[in-house]
Amino acid sequence: METKNDRAAWLMGGTAQCSEAPQKPILARRLVLLGAPGVGKGTQAEFLCERLGACHLSTGDIFRAAKTQDPCQRTPALTAALDYMKKGELVPDETVLAMVSERVACLRCQGGFLLDGFPRTVAQAEALERLLESEGIQLDAVLSYELPLDQIISRLSGRRTCPGCKAVFHVDALPPKVQGVCDHCGGKLYQREDDRPESIRVRMEAYEKLTSPLAQFYRSRNLLVSILAHGTPEEIFSRTMATLRTQ
Ligand code: AMP
């Protein structure tokens, strides 16, 4: 489902380069995706990447990629970040901002971008605004996916992920053909540490306190677009595209 681009420049940072830069689309979109954990932003980001040709820039994916690195290669800030992540807490703004600044070339990419999971606090949104301004880049829209809390919790606690191809299943809503086994690559499905009940509670509290004020931040800049996140991923995607056509 991901675009052809391996997103090496985003996931690895430093001097890493993508094996193939995205083609320049007729209309490059520069979007931010907002929404509580579990509303299905990641899936929508993948659909959008396919359709728009932009890269899926998820800060959570940077941390998950770092987990697979040799621990001796990680900076102390990254090691500390992974501890926050494990508990479901937000990583400190300075660490996240340093990572994103180091990857500013991804924001300049001719294919456009879809930021997912960043910004997550008003301080991050302000820093992103300054960074984009200094690069002469403008956001096109901030898509805010909305769903009631009980549905979010049920989505998160039943989610299972494939460590190999990153496919996502759900024990009730989207079960794999064989329990615990990925339909696509045969990988052994697992529950992300931060999808466990104790972490979900911490993540939802962090979201309410720190991330939900971002809706107002972007509304005041006329960038916020609300999208109902109930129904199948395809239905949510149709709603998203209908919304983007009016932008
Ligand atoms: P996600 O995949 O976006 O849900 O991110 C997984 C985890 O990574 C979060 O629960 C945080 O611990 C950390 N994280 C990702 N992005 C950010 C961010 N922008 N600010 C702070 N922490 C983040």
Side-chain angles (χ1 to χ4, degrees):
M1 175 61 69
E2 280 285 338
T3 49
K4 269 186 279 162
N5 184 3
D6 58 8
R7 298 181 301 156
W10 179 255
L11 295 179
M12 310 313 293
T15 54
Q17 294 204 339
C18 299
S19 58
E20 198 180 336
Q23 302 279 314
K24 189 171 183 179
I26 298 170
L27 179 61
R29 296 286 198 159
R30 297 181 175 89
L31 305 171
V32 170
L33 307 190
L34 281 188
V39 293
K41 276 190 319 297
T43 309
Q44 293 307 309
E46 290 185 9
F47 282 138
L48 280 163
C49 290
E50 273 269 290
R51 186 67 67 86
L52 306 176
C55 266
H56 178 195
L57 305 184
S58 149
T59 37
D61 281 351
I62 300 179
F63 295 128
R64 282 182 283 279
K67 265 190 179 167
T68 63
Q69 273 175 9
D70 175 356
C72 308
Q73 307 275 312
R74 293 181 202 142
T75 61
L78 200 50
T79 306
L82 296 182
D83 272 345
Y84 285 105
M85 184 181 173
K86 198 167 157 180
K87 289 183 272 179
E89 290 171 16
L90 289 191
V91 173
D93 286 340
E94 315 81 78
T95 309
V96 180
L97 291 172
M99 276 178 4
V100 173
S101 305
E102 195 202 330
R103 290 161 172 81
V104 70
C106 296
L107 301 176
R108 286 191 218 113
C109 182
Q110 60 172 6
F113 60 77
L114 292 158
L115 279 170
D116 169 17
F118 174 84
R120 248 198 179 75
T121 62
V122 171
Q124 291 181 15
E126 286 167 347
L128 175 65
E129 192 167 63
R130 287 192 295 272
L131 187 62
L132 292 177
E133 239 167 58
S134 69
E135 294 289 330
I137 300 167
Q138 280 192 343
L139 285 180
D140 295 309
V142 174
L143 308 181
S144 174
Y145 289 93
E146 283 157 24
L147 194 69
L149 185 62
D150 54 337
Q151 289 183 41
I152 291 177
I153 292 176
S154 126
R155 278 199 193 179
L156 283 176
S157 53
R159 182 156 76 177
R160 298 293 180 273
T161 307
C162 174
C165 68
K166 310 281 176 256
V168 178
F169 297 85
H170 189 279
V171 289
D172 303 317
L174 187 62
K177 292 191 188 98
V178 178
Q179 195 188 342
V181 180
C182 176
D183 287 354
H184 309 293
C185 72
K188 190 169 179 290
L189 301 181
Y190 76 108
Q191 183 173 39
R192 278 171 37 176
E193 269 163 341
D194 55 353
D195 281 345
R196 302 206 173 123
E198 56 287 7
S199 296
I200 292 176
R201 193 181 46 76
V202 178
R203 287 167 75 194
M204 291 310 300
E205 278 170 12
Y207 180 79
E208 280 304 319
K209 186 162 155 231
L210 299 167
T211 311
S212 57
L214 286 183
Q216 183 49 32
F217 180 91
Y218 285 118
R219 192 177 293 117
S220 71
R221 284 153 176 79
N222 255 338
L223 285 169
L224 193 80
V225 179
S226 297
I227 300 174
L228 285 175
H230 65 69
T232 64
E234 288 75 16
E235 285 164 352
I236 304 169
F237 184 56
S238 302
R239 243 172 260 143
T240 304
M241 289 310 294
T243 305
L244 280 180
R245 274 183 222 110
T246 63
Q247 291 296 298

